[in-house]
Amino acid sequence: MGKTNYIREKMPVRHVIIVSLVALLILTLLSYLVDPYDPYWKEHYISPGWIAFRDTLYTYIYVLLLTVISFWVDRKLDRWLTWEKKSGIRLLVQTLLQTIIAIISVHLMDLAYVAVFLEKEPNYSREELRLFSQFLTSAVILSLLIMAGNIGYYFLTNWKKTATLALELEVNAAQHKQAASEAELYALRLQIDPHFVFNNLSVLAEQILQDQQKGFEYAENFAKVYRYLLVNSKKDKISVAEELRFLESYLFLTRVRIGSGISFAIDIAHISKDAMIPPMSLQLLVENAIKHNRTVKSDPLLIEIKSLKSDEISVRNELKPLLTHLDGTGIGLGNVRDRYRLLNAPEIIITKTDKHFTVILPLLK
C-alpha cells in the first residue's frame, strides 16, 4: 500500500470566525495577565461605550486577519514542506514565519491606529513603548497558539482519516478472505462431491467400454480439472490463457456428460499475455447457466464465450428456465462479482433480456 498524502481541507468560514473570537478572548486575557495593574484597564472600563466598542472591534479585526494569515501559511507550506516528509524543519519554519508575521502585523496595526484614531502625533514615551511591547508579546504568543491549534486540528483530522482508512482496509481484507475462502471451499467441494465424482466416473466407465481412446481423453481432462482446482483455488488472479485451458477441459467433460443438450460457441481473440482473471470465473458462469436452464437434445442450450474488446470477456447463455426451481450452492455469480470488487477491479456487467443472460468480465492486470 502506497504512502498516503494528506491534503488540508479549506477551513469553513464559521470555523475561522469561531477561532478568531476565541483568539480575541485569549489575547485580552494574555494582555491582562502580562500587567493586570496597568492603568489602561481602569481607563478602558470607564471610557465611553463607543470607544470601548471601537477598540474591541479594531482588535478583533487584527485577530481575524492574524487567524486567516495563519491558515494561509499552513496551506502554502503544505505544498512544498509537508509534515510527513520534514516535520522538524516544517515546525521551525512555520514558527519563525508566525513570529515574524505577528511582529509585522502589530507594527502595521499600531501605525494604522495612530493614523485613524489619534489626532496628534504619538510621543513614544517610555510608558507607550512599554504598553506596545506588552501587546507585541501577547500577539506573538497568540500567533503561536493559533498555529499550535491549527497543527493539532490537522493531525487530529488526519489521524481520524488514517483510522477510518485502516478500518476500511481491514474490513475489505476480511471480505476478500471470505470470498477467496468460498471459492476455495467450492473447489474442495468439487473434489470430494460424491455426485460430481460419481457422474464423471460413471461417464468415464461408459467411455472406456465404448471406446478406449475416448475414455483415455475423458480421464485426461478429468485429471486436468482436478489438478487446476488443487493448484489454483487459493490464488487471487490467474492468466486468461491458463483459465481458458482449464475451461476447455471442463467443457469437454460437460459435453460428454450432457451430450447434445448443450452447445458452446467460443470466440476468444488475441488477448494480452498480461491479462488476468479470478480463477474459475468462466467455469462458475458456465455452471451457473447449466444449473438454471434446460438442456434437452431437441432444443440445446447455447452458451457463448467471446472477447468483446482486448480487455473484456463476455459469457452469454440463452434463457430456458427450468420448470422447477433448483436451489444452488450460493457460490457462483455472486462470488465472481465479490472477488472483482474486493480486488478493486472494474465491476462485472450483468444484463438480462427476454432471451439472453449476459455477464461481461473485465480483464485484470
mmCIF file of all heavy atoms in Angstrom, residues 342-364:
data_model
loop_
_atom_site.group_PDB
_atom_site.id
_atom_site.type_symbol
_atom_site.label_atom_id
_atom_site.label_comp_id
_atom_site.label_asym_id
_atom_site.label_seq_id
_atom_site.Cartn_x
_atom_site.Cartn_y
_atom_site.Cartn_z
ATOM 1 N N LEU A 342 -13.528 -6.843 -4.515
ATOM 2 C CA LEU A 342 -12.510 -6.854 -3.476
ATOM 3 C C LEU A 342 -11.093 -6.760 -4.029
ATOM 4 O O LEU A 342 -10.155 -6.480 -3.287
ATOM 5 C CB LEU A 342 -12.656 -8.123 -2.629
ATOM 6 C CG LEU A 342 -13.971 -8.184 -1.833
ATOM 7 C CD1 LEU A 342 -14.162 -9.565 -1.237
ATOM 8 C CD2 LEU A 342 -14.002 -7.135 -0.752
ATOM 9 N N LEU A 343 -10.935 -6.959 -5.329
ATOM 10 C CA LEU A 343 -9.642 -6.743 -5.978
ATOM 11 C C LEU A 343 -9.520 -5.310 -6.488
ATOM 12 O O LEU A 343 -8.549 -4.977 -7.175
ATOM 13 C CB LEU A 343 -9.469 -7.720 -7.148
ATOM 14 C CG LEU A 343 -9.194 -9.184 -6.788
ATOM 15 C CD1 LEU A 343 -9.265 -10.066 -8.031
ATOM 16 C CD2 LEU A 343 -7.834 -9.330 -6.117
ATOM 17 N N ASN A 344 -10.510 -4.466 -6.132
ATOM 18 C CA ASN A 344 -10.543 -3.075 -6.598
ATOM 19 C C ASN A 344 -10.516 -3.007 -8.128
ATOM 20 O O ASN A 344 -9.904 -2.110 -8.719
ATOM 21 C CB ASN A 344 -9.379 -2.266 -6.017
ATOM 22 C CG ASN A 344 -9.494 -2.097 -4.521
ATOM 23 O OD1 ASN A 344 -10.585 -1.887 -4.004
ATOM 24 N ND2 ASN A 344 -8.378 -2.201 -3.811
ATOM 25 N N ALA A 345 -11.158 -3.961 -8.747
ATOM 26 C CA ALA A 345 -11.217 -4.036 -10.207
ATOM 27 C C ALA A 345 -12.549 -3.455 -10.688
ATOM 28 O O ALA A 345 -13.484 -3.276 -9.905
ATOM 29 C CB ALA A 345 -11.086 -5.491 -10.657
ATOM 30 N N PRO A 346 -12.654 -3.136 -11.983
ATOM 31 C CA PRO A 346 -13.946 -2.686 -12.514
ATOM 32 C C PRO A 346 -15.028 -3.729 -12.264
ATOM 33 O O PRO A 346 -14.761 -4.932 -12.270
ATOM 34 C CB PRO A 346 -13.669 -2.518 -14.018
ATOM 35 C CG PRO A 346 -12.190 -2.301 -14.110
ATOM 36 C CD PRO A 346 -11.591 -3.114 -13.006
ATOM 37 N N GLU A 347 -16.239 -3.283 -12.045
ATOM 38 C CA GLU A 347 -17.330 -4.215 -11.749
ATOM 39 C C GLU A 347 -17.713 -5.027 -12.987
ATOM 40 O O GLU A 347 -17.587 -4.565 -14.123
ATOM 41 C CB GLU A 347 -18.554 -3.435 -11.259
ATOM 42 C CG GLU A 347 -18.361 -2.762 -9.913
ATOM 43 C CD GLU A 347 -19.643 -2.111 -9.433
ATOM 44 O OE1 GLU A 347 -20.660 -2.218 -10.150
ATOM 45 O OE2 GLU A 347 -19.629 -1.507 -8.354
ATOM 46 N N ILE A 348 -18.139 -6.253 -12.735
ATOM 47 C CA ILE A 348 -18.667 -7.049 -13.837
ATOM 48 C C ILE A 348 -20.016 -6.467 -14.252
ATOM 49 O O ILE A 348 -20.714 -5.847 -13.450
ATOM 50 C CB ILE A 348 -18.796 -8.529 -13.449
ATOM 51 C CG1 ILE A 348 -19.877 -8.719 -12.373
ATOM 52 C CG2 ILE A 348 -17.470 -9.088 -12.967
ATOM 53 C CD1 ILE A 348 -20.142 -10.182 -12.054
ATOM 54 N N ILE A 349 -20.360 -6.656 -15.506
ATOM 55 C CA ILE A 349 -21.613 -6.108 -16.044
ATOM 56 C C ILE A 349 -22.573 -7.257 -16.302
ATOM 57 O O ILE A 349 -22.245 -8.197 -17.028
ATOM 58 C CB ILE A 349 -21.361 -5.318 -17.341
ATOM 59 C CG1 ILE A 349 -20.380 -4.169 -17.071
ATOM 60 C CG2 ILE A 349 -22.662 -4.782 -17.915
ATOM 61 C CD1 ILE A 349 -19.948 -3.434 -18.325
ATOM 62 N N ILE A 350 -23.759 -7.172 -15.710
ATOM 63 C CA ILE A 350 -24.766 -8.231 -15.849
ATOM 64 C C ILE A 350 -25.991 -7.660 -16.547
ATOM 65 O O ILE A 350 -26.546 -6.646 -16.109
ATOM 66 C CB ILE A 350 -25.172 -8.796 -14.476
ATOM 67 C CG1 ILE A 350 -23.940 -9.326 -13.735
ATOM 68 C CG2 ILE A 350 -26.214 -9.889 -14.634
ATOM 69 C CD1 ILE A 350 -24.213 -9.734 -12.305
ATOM 70 N N THR A 351 -26.385 -8.275 -17.638
ATOM 71 C CA THR A 351 -27.593 -7.840 -18.354
ATOM 72 C C THR A 351 -28.486 -9.051 -18.608
ATOM 73 O O THR A 351 -27.998 -10.162 -18.853
ATOM 74 C CB THR A 351 -27.240 -7.170 -19.693
ATOM 75 O OG1 THR A 351 -26.466 -8.072 -20.491
ATOM 76 C CG2 THR A 351 -26.458 -5.885 -19.467
ATOM 77 N N LYS A 352 -29.788 -8.798 -18.566
ATOM 78 C CA LYS A 352 -30.764 -9.873 -18.776
ATOM 79 C C LYS A 352 -31.884 -9.360 -19.653
ATOM 80 O O LYS A 352 -32.480 -8.318 -19.379
ATOM 81 C CB LYS A 352 -31.314 -10.347 -17.429
ATOM 82 C CG LYS A 352 -32.276 -11.523 -17.538
ATOM 83 C CD LYS A 352 -32.733 -11.966 -16.162
ATOM 84 C CE LYS A 352 -33.675 -13.146 -16.238
ATOM 85 N NZ LYS A 352 -34.133 -13.582 -14.906
ATOM 86 N N THR A 353 -32.149 -10.086 -20.721
ATOM 87 C CA THR A 353 -33.261 -9.761 -21.604
ATOM 88 C C THR A 353 -34.255 -10.918 -21.576
ATOM 89 O O THR A 353 -34.107 -11.856 -20.787
ATOM 90 C CB THR A 353 -32.764 -9.519 -23.042
ATOM 91 O OG1 THR A 353 -32.204 -10.741 -23.555
ATOM 92 C CG2 THR A 353 -31.690 -8.424 -23.065
ATOM 93 N N ASP A 354 -35.236 -10.872 -22.452
ATOM 94 C CA ASP A 354 -36.216 -11.961 -22.501
ATOM 95 C C ASP A 354 -35.597 -13.256 -23.019
ATOM 96 O O ASP A 354 -36.096 -14.344 -22.718
ATOM 97 C CB ASP A 354 -37.392 -11.569 -23.401
ATOM 98 C CG ASP A 354 -38.204 -10.422 -22.819
ATOM 99 O OD1 ASP A 354 -38.131 -10.241 -21.583
ATOM 100 O OD2 ASP A 354 -38.873 -9.702 -23.580
ATOM 101 N N LYS A 355 -34.499 -13.122 -23.788
ATOM 102 C CA LYS A 355 -33.928 -14.299 -24.424
ATOM 103 C C LYS A 355 -32.536 -14.673 -23.935
ATOM 104 O O LYS A 355 -32.125 -15.829 -24.092
ATOM 105 C CB LYS A 355 -33.883 -14.090 -25.944
ATOM 106 C CG LYS A 355 -35.257 -13.955 -26.583
ATOM 107 C CD LYS A 355 -35.139 -13.809 -28.102
ATOM 108 C CE LYS A 355 -36.512 -13.716 -28.756
ATOM 109 N NZ LYS A 355 -36.406 -13.576 -30.235
ATOM 110 N N HIS A 356 -31.814 -13.715 -23.354
ATOM 111 C CA HIS A 356 -30.425 -13.994 -23.018
ATOM 112 C C HIS A 356 -30.052 -13.450 -21.640
ATOM 113 O O HIS A 356 -30.632 -12.480 -21.158
ATOM 114 C CB HIS A 356 -29.470 -13.390 -24.058
ATOM 115 C CG HIS A 356 -29.584 -14.000 -25.409
ATOM 116 N ND1 HIS A 356 -30.381 -13.469 -26.403
ATOM 117 C CD2 HIS A 356 -28.999 -15.131 -25.935
ATOM 118 C CE1 HIS A 356 -30.288 -14.217 -27.495
ATOM 119 N NE2 HIS A 356 -29.467 -15.228 -27.236
ATOM 120 N N PHE A 357 -29.049 -14.102 -21.052
ATOM 121 C CA PHE A 357 -28.439 -13.647 -19.813
ATOM 122 C C PHE A 357 -26.940 -13.494 -20.092
ATOM 123 O O PHE A 357 -26.285 -14.447 -20.528
ATOM 124 C CB PHE A 357 -28.662 -14.661 -18.685
ATOM 125 C CG PHE A 357 -28.124 -14.217 -17.349
ATOM 126 C CD1 PHE A 357 -28.870 -13.389 -16.524
ATOM 127 C CD2 PHE A 357 -26.858 -14.627 -16.924
ATOM 128 C CE1 PHE A 357 -28.385 -12.986 -15.286
ATOM 129 C CE2 PHE A 357 -26.353 -14.231 -15.699
ATOM 130 C CZ PHE A 357 -27.123 -13.396 -14.877
ATOM 131 N N THR A 358 -26.400 -12.288 -19.842
ATOM 132 C CA THR A 358 -25.025 -11.988 -20.224
ATOM 133 C C THR A 358 -24.237 -11.438 -19.055
ATOM 134 O O THR A 358 -24.745 -10.590 -18.306
ATOM 135 C CB THR A 358 -24.977 -10.965 -21.388
ATOM 136 O OG1 THR A 358 -25.801 -11.433 -22.465
ATOM 137 C CG2 THR A 358 -23.551 -10.751 -21.869
ATOM 138 N N VAL A 359 -23.021 -11.920 -18.907
ATOM 139 C CA VAL A 359 -22.091 -11.402 -17.907
ATOM 140 C C VAL A 359 -20.796 -11.003 -18.624
ATOM 141 O O VAL A 359 -20.219 -11.812 -19.346
ATOM 142 C CB VAL A 359 -21.776 -12.437 -16.809
ATOM 143 C CG1 VAL A 359 -20.784 -11.839 -15.797
ATOM 144 C CG2 VAL A 359 -23.049 -12.884 -16.115
ATOM 145 N N ILE A 360 -20.377 -9.748 -18.412
ATOM 146 C CA ILE A 360 -19.143 -9.257 -19.023
ATOM 147 C C ILE A 360 -18.085 -9.128 -17.930
ATOM 148 O O ILE A 360 -18.295 -8.410 -16.936
ATOM 149 C CB ILE A 360 -19.363 -7.905 -19.724
ATOM 150 C CG1 ILE A 360 -20.388 -8.071 -20.855
ATOM 151 C CG2 ILE A 360 -18.052 -7.347 -20.262
ATOM 152 C CD1 ILE A 360 -20.737 -6.764 -21.557
ATOM 153 N N LEU A 361 -16.967 -9.820 -18.117
ATOM 154 C CA LEU A 361 -15.884 -9.826 -17.145
ATOM 155 C C LEU A 361 -14.739 -8.930 -17.636
ATOM 156 O O LEU A 361 -14.164 -9.192 -18.698
ATOM 157 C CB LEU A 361 -15.345 -11.237 -16.942
ATOM 158 C CG LEU A 361 -16.332 -12.310 -16.469
ATOM 159 C CD1 LEU A 361 -15.627 -13.660 -16.380
ATOM 160 C CD2 LEU A 361 -16.917 -11.926 -15.129
ATOM 161 N N PRO A 362 -14.401 -7.880 -16.885
ATOM 162 C CA PRO A 362 -13.210 -7.075 -17.237
ATOM 163 C C PRO A 362 -11.948 -7.889 -16.983
ATOM 164 O O PRO A 362 -11.860 -8.615 -15.989
ATOM 165 C CB PRO A 362 -13.305 -5.865 -16.306
ATOM 166 C CG PRO A 362 -14.694 -5.889 -15.748
ATOM 167 C CD PRO A 362 -15.116 -7.311 -15.740
ATOM 168 N N LEU A 363 -10.984 -7.754 -17.849
ATOM 169 C CA LEU A 363 -9.697 -8.419 -17.642
ATOM 170 C C LEU A 363 -8.825 -7.568 -16.731
ATOM 171 O O LEU A 363 -8.884 -6.345 -16.768
ATOM 172 C CB LEU A 363 -9.005 -8.656 -18.994
ATOM 173 C CG LEU A 363 -9.779 -9.549 -19.965
ATOM 174 C CD1 LEU A 363 -8.995 -9.758 -21.241
ATOM 175 C CD2 LEU A 363 -10.115 -10.885 -19.333
ATOM 176 N N LEU A 364 -8.005 -8.205 -15.921
ATOM 177 C CA LEU A 364 -7.209 -7.532 -14.917
ATOM 178 C C LEU A 364 -5.735 -7.531 -15.325
ATOM 179 O O LEU A 364 -5.310 -8.250 -16.207
ATOM 180 C CB LEU A 364 -7.374 -8.237 -13.561
ATOM 181 C CG LEU A 364 -8.810 -8.538 -13.135
ATOM 182 C CD1 LEU A 364 -8.815 -9.327 -11.843
ATOM 183 C CD2 LEU A 364 -9.620 -7.272 -13.018
#
